[in-house]
Amino acid sequence: MDRSVALSPALSGFENINRYWDKSQHMVVAKILPGELYVSKTDESITTVLGSCISACIWDSVMGVGGMNHFMLPQANANNSSAWRENDSYSCRYGNWAIEFLINEILKNGGNRKNLQAKIFGGGKILNSMTDVGMGNIGFAITYLESEGIEIVSKDVGGPWPRKVLFEPITGRARVRKLKQLHNDTIERRERAYLNSLQSHEEDSNIELF
């Protein structure tokens, strides 16, 4: 990081997100991991890398506020609902909470529901198994946003590759790079380990996918 550049404070509740000055982008970038989300009202970007996970990017360009999440599964097992509801860092790894929490934080920081728009990314078929986690995530995200009355203006989902996403929350601009050169066996092992950690309720997992 360029130590001559002072970072503006993050919005309340997002101080734990890793933020740094990116010389190539000439702006502050907030990097989110699985189970995290970030909301901003300043000229900065949010980035993450997705395999079968999904990121919903939601913003209000009129009020200049937006954010992005990163979730692995549509929703927690109903039998364990009381456990995940008690811990945002855990529950936001599930789509229903990750999207609801993101919308609420945008509204809390000045957004207007009638102005909200969305873009969705990810949902690749990275896990070599009978269950296509990515397709389930894609279908969930589309259905959830439609049920909330939020227009999906674009999406880049599916396919056999992971993606790196860079999103500007006050304008809605997004850039996506498909990471076709990564070794799929390595990606699969890492993402499967993360999926297993969710299913085992290992709430303190710090696995970074890629």
Side-chain angles (χ1 to χ4, degrees):
M1 185 183 90
D2 185 344
R3 296 185 181 277
S4 66
V5 178
L7 301 186
S8 59
L11 293 175
S12 177
F14 299 101
E15 298 88 351
N16 64 314
I17 298 297
N18 177 26
R19 300 165 70 232
Y20 57 92
W21 177 258
D22 188 311
K23 293 181 179 179
S24 64
Q25 303 295 330
H26 303 291
M27 64 170 56
V28 174
V29 174
K31 180 181 180 181
I32 62 171
L33 302 177
E36 293 183 338
L37 60 84
Y38 186 75
V39 172
S40 178
K41 300 170 67 173
T42 60
D43 186 19
E44 59 184 333
S45 291
I46 312 170
T47 190
T48 198
V49 177
L50 304 161
S52 60
C53 294
I54 285 281
S55 277
C57 302
I58 302 175
W59 77 101
D60 177 343
S61 60
V62 177
M63 304 305 296
V65 57
M68 179 167 75
N69 58 28
H70 182 151
F71 64 87
M72 176 64 171
L73 296 173
Q75 58 189 6
N77 187 319
N79 293 331
N80 299 313
S81 59
S82 61
W84 56 263
R85 284 176 183 273
E86 295 172 358
N87 189 325
D88 282 343
S89 66
Y90 182 55
S91 62
C92 283
R93 300 176 187 185
Y94 296 96
N96 53 345
W97 267 67
I99 298 179
E100 179 183 353
F101 190 21
L102 176 57
I103 293 170
N104 288 341
E105 287 296 313
I106 292 171
L107 298 181
K108 186 172 76 175
N109 285 284
N112 188 319
R113 180 176 283 274
K114 70 179 183 180
N115 300 329
L116 296 185
Q117 295 179 298
K119 297 179 180 180
I120 59 172
F121 304 100
K125 188 169 175 54
I126 305 302
L127 296 178
N128 185 21
S129 66
M130 295 298 292
T131 301
D132 192 336
V133 175
M135 287 302 295
N137 282 332
I138 294 166
F140 168 80
I142 292 172
T143 300
Y144 192 100
L145 290 167
E146 288 178 345
S147 72
E148 290 290 322
I150 297 174
E151 179 187 8
I152 302 172
V153 297
S154 66
K155 57 183 180 292
D156 184 42
V157 295
W161 45 71
R163 294 167 169 83
K164 182 174 182 179
V165 180
L166 194 70
F167 174 66
E168 298 176 14
I170 65 173
T171 66
R173 182 188 182 203
R175 285 165 284 171
V176 181
R177 181 161 62 95
K178 294 181 174 68
L179 306 177
K180 298 180 181 180
Q181 301 304 315
L182 292 182
H183 297 294
N184 285 339
D185 57 342
T186 300
I187 297 167
E188 181 179 347
R189 287 198 306 270
R190 292 178 179 177
E191 191 155 291
R192 190 178 298 280
Y194 180 64
L195 176 60
N196 289 339
S197 77
L198 291 185
Q199 293 172 337
S200 300
H201 284 200
E202 296 173 358
E203 299 186 10
D204 296 327
S205 173
N206 292 316
I207 297 171
E208 183 174 352
L209 293 187
F210 310 109

